[in-house]
Amino acid sequence: MSITMGTTLASLVTNKRRVSALKSLGIVTVGDALTYYPFRVTEPVPLRAIREAAPGQQMAFAAVIRDMRVVPMNARRGYRLEATVDDADFARSRRVPGSTARLTFFSYRKSYVDWVSVRLRAGTSVVVSGMPGEYMGQLQFTHPEILTVAPVPAGAGAGLEGYARGAASGNGAFAGSADPYASAQSAYPPAATAPSGAALKYDADTVQEALTRVCRPRPVYHASSRISSEHIHETILGLLWMMGARTSSTPDGQLAGAGAAGIVAPATDTIAVQNGEEKSGTTAESGAEALSQSIPDVLPESVRKAKNLMHRAEAFLAIHDPASTARFKEAIETLRYEEAFVSQVSLLKARSHAHKSAAHSCPLVTDSLRDQFIASLPFSLTAGQQQVIHDIAADLAHDWPMQRLLQGEVGSGKTVVALAAMLQAVDAGYQAVLVAPTQVLAEQHAETIGRMVEQLKPAIPVTLLTGGMKLAARRKALAAASSGEPGIIVATHAAFSKTFQAPHLALVVIDEQHRFGVEQRESLNAKTDDGTTPHLLVMTATPIPRTAAMTWFGDLDISWLTELPGGRKPIRTVVVNEADAATMGRMFAHIRARVDAGERTYIVCPRIDADDEENEGGSGVSAAAGSALGRAAASGSSARTAAGGRATRAAADAIGIDDPYETFDENGETVARPPLHAVAEIADRLQKLPQFQGIRFATLTGRDKDDVKTQVMADFAGGETPILVSTTVIEVGVDVKQASCIVIFDADRYGLSQLHQLRGRVGRGGTNSWAFLISRAEPGSPAEQRLEVIHHSLDGAEIAQADLEFRGAGDVLGDAQSGGKSSLKLLRVVKDADMIADARTRAEQLLAADPELAGEVQLAGAVLDFTRGNETFLTSS
């Protein structure tokens, strides 16, 4: 069986618990594993004899176990294991006297203590790596890393003694050498296996091998409670061995060579060694060649040589088994450039393909509906709106499809721009569809647009189509659309159903935060009866830095609306520590005063229920996803880690944070955080406060049925329930002009762009407005620093730039770009702007010479994979 990047781990890894744990991190195939990059690499561990130890400084040495004992801890439950080690032979090679030290292990589990006891039997040769300390006047290593070394045959010298003799003759490795691996081969006796029939399995065949393994830089991966970084590393190295790697990449840039450190063959109880693959007898050269065949390069050879980059297989090897930290960084840069190049080729091809398609031309006419509409507005358009309307008008006049992204601040007037474009299409005799992400927003758009066009001549039909409509109304709406009569259709996901037909569709407008990928766009293209492709306008209020927009939406023309209409007052933003009871009390008193003045307040919580695991059944969320979410919330880890490595649409129903910030310790383990607040919990608590006596509350979540959502919003806008406790469902385009306050619980766990979106729900009626960000962040923590950005800025572009620097492009733009199917995991949109520009230039040159990538088969495949994983013109859960 040949192993490729698409081979599943379940077919290779015999430890099924490990397969399951890796799957929880989103690692399902060999490709997933090799692209699960470490977040840092440790510095090389220096070799020191015990007498050279400095407390608090990492070190490694070789020694022999002299004695070992297990001591029950009477005062506390558990055991203490102590082993004394002697490094006399190793110290002799370093020309210092030998000495002893104590290795100490603590555990409540007798099984663990027994396992360590078997490994550390008296007379066993070991290599130790750890941080020395002092206890009762003796040097002590607490829970060090231990590698046991197999005994050698009598004729080869007695383990470390043979090592010492080699050192004494001037061939000793690590004895003052600048390169600790320079003469490793000659320092030790030949490899020898354990005696036949031995019950103990040794970690290394030779001292040389063990010292090399503990001293080399080591990658550290984001781990979980189910699998450690060490086991992730072990699995990846095993996969590389199976694909042909026998040695690490060497500093001269070749995949393998004489004297390179070997990759240890995986144990058969972890990795299933395939038929025909032996643990010995394979040369380094043939192993390197096999790895290159299993992992072909993606970048064109000319680009790789011009940029002096590694082969892809070599880069994977240097990342997961680095010979040095410099080698690791070089490999990261190689794969980062690969991501930049693939993304730019994909975007350029998409743009070229769009210009080859046919679309309905919608030129402006005399006394157009668009001009009538603009003249009827009770306010003047901003300069930005006028410019964007002009640009769209020029695009619509072409006979190839417009593809434009309109990014604008909350309340900047995007709907007016979209309506002007739709009226231009209707004036040309065609249909236009506005797709909204929720029924509430679709109904709001239909009402607003109907009111705006009611005075126009001739009359413009506005049809509402949602999944929650009664059957008779839905049939009527579908019939109106299928008639082909020029008009405006406002729809939700129903626009993508097979029953929806719009034969004269010329323009599709996608409103903010709607997932719109390849399959959905193709379904809209199929609605036309003449094979044309509709013009496309994607709108978003999610702030996107220009560098990110040029990277992610390079196949679209991009317009920005930065001016706000007159009359909007700045929103005052206040960060409140949840533990500060006095400030919390004053905030609630302020909210009561605003409610008494006839205004409205949003209270936002990230979770629906206090125990989502028990309540998933009625929400349409799968049991598996629900269970994962419940565990994630309980442990403080994000839904993204718990539910398969990325946030899912099911997760969005239960946890409204767009992409929670992970918190990791230095070993890559997720750090537990307090459970997120829930709508039901907060609504119950607030109603009992004296500040809100006599005030009616309402709740709103993604699980509520569409008719319930509509009624709740109507009651809130009308003032019957002036305080609305909800999830982030209100983030999407909800427009209640009387809303003047918003309180966001667990604000330290949201992305800045999402906080900016939520904050934009208030102050839409020209009144003074406030946003209260409730936080449990530690003083001086990164979470507190993030909140300071939103506290001091109302500039969406500035906030988006900060969010990008804190989190990376994927998290800002959505989970389709944060991993999962996406191949982009290393590219940093802000810091790598120059790299992206260089990649775009080279991509343009390549496509000019080979538009179909006929001569670059591997690149063509990578471009196809990228397109499938990333063609989501705007994503945010």
Side-chain angles (χ1 to χ4, degrees):
M1 169 183 167
S2 61
I3 302 172
T4 68
M5 297 287 278
T7 304
T8 61
L9 294 190
S11 65
L12 301 175
V13 179
T14 55
N15 186 328
K16 299 310 175 187
R17 287 188 178 182
R18 184 171 296 188
V19 171
S20 176
L22 290 168
K23 186 176 181 181
S24 73
L25 296 176
I27 304 173
V28 178
T29 66
V30 171
D32 294 334
L34 296 185
T35 57
Y36 192 78
Y37 302 118
F39 69 94
R40 69 180 178 92
V41 65
T42 63
E43 290 297 325
V45 177
L47 285 173
R48 293 180 183 143
I50 292 175
R51 283 190 181 272
E52 298 172 305
Q57 295 184 16
Q58 193 84 7
M59 62 177 281
F61 62 94
V64 174
I65 304 293
R66 291 305 179 207
D67 60 67
M68 182 271 299
R69 64 174 184 158
V70 176
V71 181
M73 294 187 290
N74 296 326
R76 296 180 294 168
R77 183 172 60 87
Y79 304 88
R80 181 177 75 252
L81 184 148
E82 296 178 350
T84 303
V85 293
D86 182 347
D87 75 337
D89 295 324
F90 177 78
R92 193 177 307 131
S93 73
R94 298 187 61 80
R95 297 176 176 81
V96 297
S99 186
T100 61
R102 181 166 48 210
L103 313 181
T104 304
F105 300 84
F106 299 93
S107 180
Y108 291 114
R109 295 185 308 158
K110 185 66 165 59
S111 58
Y112 171 77
V113 173
D114 291 342
W115 176 73
V116 176
S117 300
V118 171
R119 301 181 77 231
L120 302 187
R121 292 178 298 183
T124 302
S125 294
V126 294
V127 166
V128 181
S129 174
M131 193 87 70
E134 190 175 331
Y135 179 70
M136 297 183 67
Q138 185 176 1
L139 197 69
Q140 175 174 284
F141 293 81
T142 304
H143 284 275
E145 179 182 0
I146 302 288
L147 294 184
T148 57
V149 181
V152 294
L160 285 171
E161 294 179 10
Y163 164 79
R165 285 196 297 273
S169 66
N171 295 326
F174 315 110
S177 171
D179 180 359
Y181 316 114
S183 54
Q185 294 284 357
S186 60
Y188 301 107
T193 58
S196 60
L200 182 62
K201 175 186 168 186
Y202 294 96
D203 299 314
D205 289 337
T206 65
V207 173
Q208 165 212 335
E209 177 190 315
L211 283 171
T212 301
R213 282 169 60 185
V214 301
C215 291
R216 288 166 65 82
R218 188 167 311 176
V220 183
Y221 302 82
H222 285 315
S224 71
S225 59
R226 299 180 61 188
I227 186 169
S228 67
S229 172
E230 189 65 30
H231 283 156
I232 294 171
H233 187 213
E234 176 187 283
T235 303
I236 294 174
L237 288 184
L239 295 172
L240 287 169
W241 189 93
M242 293 185 69
M243 298 176 82
R246 296 297 183 268
T247 64
S248 64
S249 59
T250 56
D252 63 359
Q254 301 304 312
L255 263 177
I263 292 180
V264 179
T268 54
D269 58 353
T270 301
I271 299 286
V273 178
Q274 301 299 304
N275 293 334
E277 292 182 342
E278 303 296 336
K279 290 195 175 186
S280 62
T282 304
T283 66
E285 289 76 11
S286 64
E289 183 180 347
L291 187 63
S292 299
Q293 291 172 354
S294 301
I295 308 174
D297 214 348
V298 168
L299 289 174
E301 184 72 9
S302 58
V303 173
R304 186 167 69 84
K305 287 185 175 179
K307 298 294 293 181
N308 194 27
L309 302 173
M310 294 180 178
H311 187 282
R312 192 176 200 223
E314 182 187 357
F316 280 137
L317 201 52
I319 285 174
H320 296 297
D321 189 37
S324 65
T325 53
R327 195 77 177 142
F328 174 84
K329 292 175 182 175
E330 186 182 345
I332 289 289
E333 285 302 298
T334 291
L335 294 179
R336 185 172 283 145
Y337 190 88
E338 178 189 291
E339 292 182 355
F341 192 82
V342 170
S343 69
Q344 294 311 302
V345 171
S346 302
L347 294 172
L348 289 169
K349 280 184 66 65
R351 191 180 187 93
S352 172
H353 178 74
H355 282 197
K356 294 177 182 177
S357 302
H360 292 297
S361 175
C362 303
L364 276 174
V365 298
T366 305
D367 191 27
S368 65
L369 289 170
R370 191 202 73 170
D371 291 342
Q372 289 183 46
F373 161 65
I374 293 173
S376 69
L377 292 172
F379 52 82
S380 298
L381 297 178
T382 65
Q385 286 175 310
Q386 294 178 31
Q387 181 61 50
V388 174
I389 289 173
H390 174 77
D391 292 342
I392 291 175
D395 288 346
L396 292 176
H398 294 145
D399 58 2
W400 66 80
M402 169 183 73
Q403 290 187 297
R404 184 172 291 275
L405 171 68
L406 175 59
Q407 195 277 324
E409 290 284 349
V410 174
S412 59
K414 297 185 295 299
T415 304
V416 169
V417 172
L419 181 52
M422 290 190 286
L423 288 173
Q424 184 171 336
V426 172
D427 226 357
Y430 299 110
Q431 296 169 294
V433 173
L434 170 61
V435 184
T438 67
Q439 176 163 328
V440 170
L441 189 55
E443 291 172 345
Q444 182 176 298
H445 275 315
E447 181 183 350
T448 302
I449 291 172
R451 191 169 58 248
M452 285 179 160
V453 302
E454 62 184 357
Q455 303 299 326
L456 301 183
K457 302 295 182 183
I460 307 299
V462 178
T463 304
L464 174 65
L465 176 62
T466 71
M469 297 174 70
K470 292 184 178 180
L471 184 59
R474 181 180 172 83
R475 284 177 173 171
K476 183 178 179 180
L478 288 171
S482 62
S483 70
E485 179 187 3
I488 295 172
I489 303 162
V490 181
T492 57
H493 292 85
F496 303 119
S497 69
K498 294 180 180 179
T499 56
F500 174 71
Q501 296 295 326
H504 293 161
L505 182 60
L507 172 64
V508 175
V509 180
I510 307 295
D511 199 8
E512 58 188 358
Q513 295 188 305
H514 179 71
R515 295 184 182 278
F516 188 63
V518 175
E519 295 83 1
Q520 290 168 319
R521 179 157 67 174
E522 290 301 323
S523 73
L524 282 177
N525 290 346
K527 307 302 181 187
T528 60
D529 59 357
D530 50 12
T532 58
T533 299
H535 297 282
L536 175 67
L537 176 64
V538 182
M539 302 191 301
T540 176
T542 301
I544 303 171
R546 290 176 185 259
T547 53
M550 293 305 294
T551 303
W552 283 103
F553 307 113
D555 57 336
L556 305 180
D557 296 304
I558 305 171
S559 298
W560 279 271
L561 286 179
T562 56
E563 302 172 70
L564 293 180
R568 293 290 296 271
K569 295 182 179 179
I571 302 168
R572 304 174 193 178
T573 305
V574 183
V575 179
V576 181
N577 189 318
E578 189 173 339
D580 185 350
T583 303
M584 292 284 286
R586 289 196 298 273
M587 176 188 73
F588 291 136
H590 171 80
I591 291 171
R592 175 60 188 260
R594 303 322 306 163
V595 169
D596 289 343
E599 297 168 10
R600 316 279 186 271
T601 296
Y602 296 106
I603 310 283
V604 179
C605 304
R607 293 174 64 202
I608 297 176
D609 301 314
D611 187 355
D612 285 311
E613 186 171 358
E614 293 181 3
N615 291 284
E616 289 300 334
S619 67
V621 181
S622 71
S627 177
L629 286 165
R631 289 192 302 273
S635 67
S637 65
S638 75
R640 179 174 162 194
T641 297
R646 58 188 180 274
T648 61
R649 187 177 294 276
D653 275 344
I655 297 182
I657 292 177
D658 62 350
D659 219 337
Y661 286 100
E662 297 281 14
T663 303
F664 299 99
D665 63 18
E666 63 178 8
N667 294 319
E669 301 279 353
T670 52
V671 175
R673 295 181 288 181
L676 298 167
H677 288 299
V679 168
E681 164 213 350
I682 291 297
D684 183 61
R685 283 171 52 186
L686 295 186
Q687 289 180 82
K688 295 176 181 177
L689 294 178
Q691 292 96 326
F692 297 123
Q693 291 303 307
I695 299 294
R696 291 186 60 195
F697 281 66
T699 62
L700 183 67
T701 75
R703 291 183 189 166
D704 294 330
K705 294 182 178 179
D706 287 334
D707 56 341
V708 173
K709 291 178 184 177
T710 301
Q711 187 59 50
V712 167
M713 289 307 302
D715 291 345
F716 177 65
E720 294 181 33
T721 51
I723 298 181
L724 177 62
V725 186
S726 77
T727 59
T728 53
V729 66
I730 59 102
E731 173 189 6
V732 184
V734 172
D735 187 4
V736 177
K737 300 197 182 303
Q738 299 90 339
S740 63
C741 295
I742 185 168
V743 179
I744 305 172
F745 280 92
D746 294 306
D748 52 300
R749 307 276 284 275
Y750 289 80
L752 297 184
S753 294
Q754 191 178 24
L755 288 175
H756 183 62
Q757 279 268 64
L758 288 166
R759 180 171 60 179
R761 294 307 106 204
V762 298
R764 304 172 75 86
T767 60
N768 291 322
S769 54
W770 293 264
F772 298 98
L773 310 181
I774 312 302
S775 168
R776 289 182 280 185
E778 294 292 330
S781 65
E784 185 181 64
Q785 296 170 21
R786 290 195 299 268
L787 291 181
E788 282 302 302
V789 173
I790 199 107
H791 176 208
H792 293 293
S793 178
L794 292 171
D795 185 333
E798 178 183 332
I799 290 167
Q801 188 79 4
D803 210 7
L804 201 56
E805 292 170 359
F806 275 122
R807 299 204 283 173
D811 292 345
V812 174
L813 300 177
D815 76 289
Q817 287 90 9
S818 65
K821 291 183 180 179
S822 170
S823 59
L824 293 199
K825 299 183 179 182
L826 297 173
L827 195 64
R828 304 163 302 184
V829 175
V830 177
K831 295 181 180 179
D832 296 331
D834 291 342
M835 177 186 290
I836 293 166
D838 179 90
R840 191 173 186 88
T841 300
R842 294 180 189 275
E844 288 171 343
Q845 294 170 353
L846 175 67
L847 290 173
D850 185 3
E852 299 304 320
L853 299 178
E856 300 291 345
V857 178
Q858 296 300 328
L859 177 61
V863 167
L864 183 61
D865 290 341
F866 176 87
T867 303
R868 287 171 174 167
N870 294 282
E871 186 154 337
T872 306
F873 292 104
L874 193 69
T875 343
S876 181
S877 297

